[in-house]
Amino acid sequence: MRGQAGFFDIDERLKAISAKGDDLERLTAIVDFEAFRSDFAQAVPRSDGRKGGRPPFDHVFMWKVLILQASHSLSDERTEFLIKDRLSFMRFLGLGLSDPVPDANTIWTFREALTRAIIGDTPAITVLFRAYEAALTKAGFLAMGGQIIDATIVSAPKQRNTDGEKVDIRAGRVPAGWADKPAKLAQKDRDARWTVKFSKAKPSDDGSPRSDLAVPAFGYKNHIGIDRRHGLIRTWTATHAARHDGAQLPNLISKANTASTVWADTAYRSKVNEQHLTASGLRSEIHRKKPAGRPMAKNIARANNARSKVRSAVEHVFARQKGPMALVVRTIGLARATVKIGLANIAYNMRRSVWLTAKHQAKA
């Protein structure tokens, strides 16, 4: 039976992890987490220590904990466990085996403080996203090649409500009896919504039409705009799942992109959006809709196919967030969901910047 692991044993194991390719080690080398310190000092102020008590964990340390959590969609309890369990997590956070680890309640409290925080008159999560966006630009990853707009549904725990309760919730009212049960009310998400996502049916072998699939979903939406050149998220907003995608286009247009073209699917095609793009000096490559009851003209179909080859790049972002990152919302309410989604978008950009940097270094 092996004895207790010594310092050199752990050091050798960390070297082996590095040799296999530790993404967190690469992230530490690329991202300047200290650049966020001043924003967190405003967002989550600390006491001066006069009242005593255990010293709080460092702001940047807790920020890295939230990035770890967002990168793997971990619960607070699972985050605490894995920090204690994984050497790669400990090295990323600068922890030794005997150093204290924040418990689940500490992680929740820090994220709650971030959810409530306003810097100036802007939500703190938006300020943090913009801070990293500025860092990406400074590092040479300018928003280039035009922009691609899209949205995806982020699932949340389903609510079991009666038809009457659903009517009250949609009207912005607290259903009767809920206010008398604070514990129940605290567990009811009155901001998330049901929606139906349609999936195009594949044509049958004999050419006969098939019905599209309607899949109900409950939760929120992550609306994003990426630049075509680097595939980085440049703009984003969060809404409930039933909010129409097209209405968010003006909020997602980036003025920093060096090209003027905008790609999006048919949900964004409207006179209002086309006028907005024209007034902003932008060129629309939004998919055109099929005429009702008539076949689509061949030239429009060809143009849509060409647009799809560009627009499909945004699906890679959602595939990453819903695949390896396993993005879901376990919290209650839009404010918390917005922070969860914002953290996932920041974590995605951090991971993407690591990949882009390695790609550029390989070419050099």
Side-chain angles (χ1 to χ4, degrees):
M1 184 174 180
R2 295 290 302 274
Q4 184 176 1
F7 172 80
F8 292 106
D9 296 318
I10 296 172
D11 191 50
E12 287 300 315
R13 178 60 58 87
L14 287 172
K15 288 180 180 178
I17 293 172
S18 297
K20 289 294 183 181
D22 182 5
D23 286 343
L24 292 175
E25 189 176 28
R26 298 186 186 123
L27 190 62
T28 301
I30 296 300
V31 179
D32 179 14
F33 285 95
E34 284 293 326
F36 298 94
R37 184 175 294 280
S38 61
D39 290 329
F40 273 102
Q42 298 180 66
V44 189
R46 302 296 200 191
S47 67
D48 56 13
R50 293 177 184 176
K51 295 183 180 180
R54 187 177 65 182
F57 286 96
D58 178 72
H59 279 126
V60 174
F61 173 87
M62 291 303 299
W63 173 229
K64 294 171 79 172
V65 169
L66 293 187
I67 292 299
L68 276 178
Q69 187 177 47
S71 297
H72 304 279
S73 194
L74 303 173
S75 67
D76 297 332
E77 290 77 10
R78 188 64 178 168
T79 302
E80 176 189 354
F81 173 80
L82 288 178
I83 291 172
K84 294 176 178 177
D85 183 64
R86 290 189 181 179
L87 287 176
S88 60
F89 279 27
M90 283 189 276
R91 176 166 63 180
F92 176 67
L93 297 171
L95 291 174
L97 290 177
S98 59
D99 290 329
V101 172
D103 59 21
N105 186 59
T106 300
I107 297 170
W108 182 89
T109 301
F110 186 81
R111 194 177 59 252
E112 279 291 289
L114 180 62
T115 301
R116 296 189 300 269
I118 302 292
I119 300 177
D121 56 357
T122 305
I125 189 65
T126 301
V127 173
L128 294 168
F129 181 87
R130 290 173 180 172
Y132 191 58
E133 162 71 8
L136 288 170
T137 301
K138 186 177 180 181
F141 299 119
L142 281 71
M144 303 170 66
Q147 47 200 308
I148 307 170
I149 310 297
D150 206 353
T152 190
I153 296 170
V154 181
S155 298
K158 298 177 178 63
Q159 304 288 296
R160 308 298 179 184
N161 302 319
T162 65
D163 291 341
E165 289 170 340
K166 292 176 183 177
V167 171
D168 287 337
I169 290 170
R170 285 194 293 268
R173 299 187 297 266
V174 177
W178 285 17
D180 300 330
K181 301 177 180 178
K184 177 179 181 178
L185 184 60
Q187 294 301 315
K188 287 294 187 177
D189 192 338
R190 290 174 286 142
D191 293 334
R193 293 288 186 273
W194 282 97
T195 189
V196 175
K197 182 176 177 62
F198 289 93
S199 178
K200 290 290 184 181
K202 294 182 179 179
S204 58
D205 294 336
D206 60 4
S208 59
R210 287 181 174 177
S211 299
D212 293 342
L213 300 177
V215 182
F218 182 80
Y220 297 90
K221 273 185 181 176
N222 182 18
H223 307 261
I224 66 170
I226 70 170
D227 70 302
R228 183 185 180 187
R229 175 66 179 84
H230 299 295
L232 291 162
I233 300 171
R234 303 294 182 168
T235 57
W236 68 279
T237 189
T239 68
H240 62 68
R243 186 65 60 86
H244 190 264
D245 295 354
Q248 300 304 313
L249 184 136
N251 301 325
L252 297 171
I253 294 299
S254 171
K255 297 180 180 179
N257 201 291
T258 61
S260 61
T261 310
V262 177
W263 288 267
D265 63 27
T266 54
Y268 297 86
R269 170 69 70 169
S270 69
K271 287 184 178 180
V272 172
N273 282 345
E274 293 300 310
Q275 290 170 357
H276 177 80
L277 293 178
T278 300
S280 302
L282 299 172
R283 184 167 68 89
S284 173
E285 283 292 348
I286 299 176
H287 277 52
R288 293 188 176 275
K289 299 177 181 178
K290 177 183 175 296
R294 291 181 294 157
M296 183 173 285
K298 291 183 178 180
N299 62 320
I300 295 178
R302 284 195 298 269
N304 277 352
N305 288 337
R307 294 181 182 111
S308 292
K309 292 178 181 179
V310 176
R311 198 198 65 79
S312 62
V314 75
E315 301 296 343
H316 299 175
V317 179
F318 298 142
R320 175 75 187 184
Q321 289 187 331
K322 293 190 174 184
M325 294 176 67
L327 175 59
V328 294
V329 169
R330 298 186 182 92
T331 53
I332 304 295
L334 179 59
R336 293 182 178 126
T338 298
V339 169
K340 279 279 191 177
I341 291 170
L343 286 169
N345 289 338
I346 295 171
Y348 172 83
N349 275 357
M350 287 183 174
R351 296 284 185 151
R352 179 74 178 173
S353 68
V354 170
W355 182 84
L356 289 169
T357 300
K359 180 182 178 182
H360 291 172
Q361 289 174 346
K363 289 183 177 180

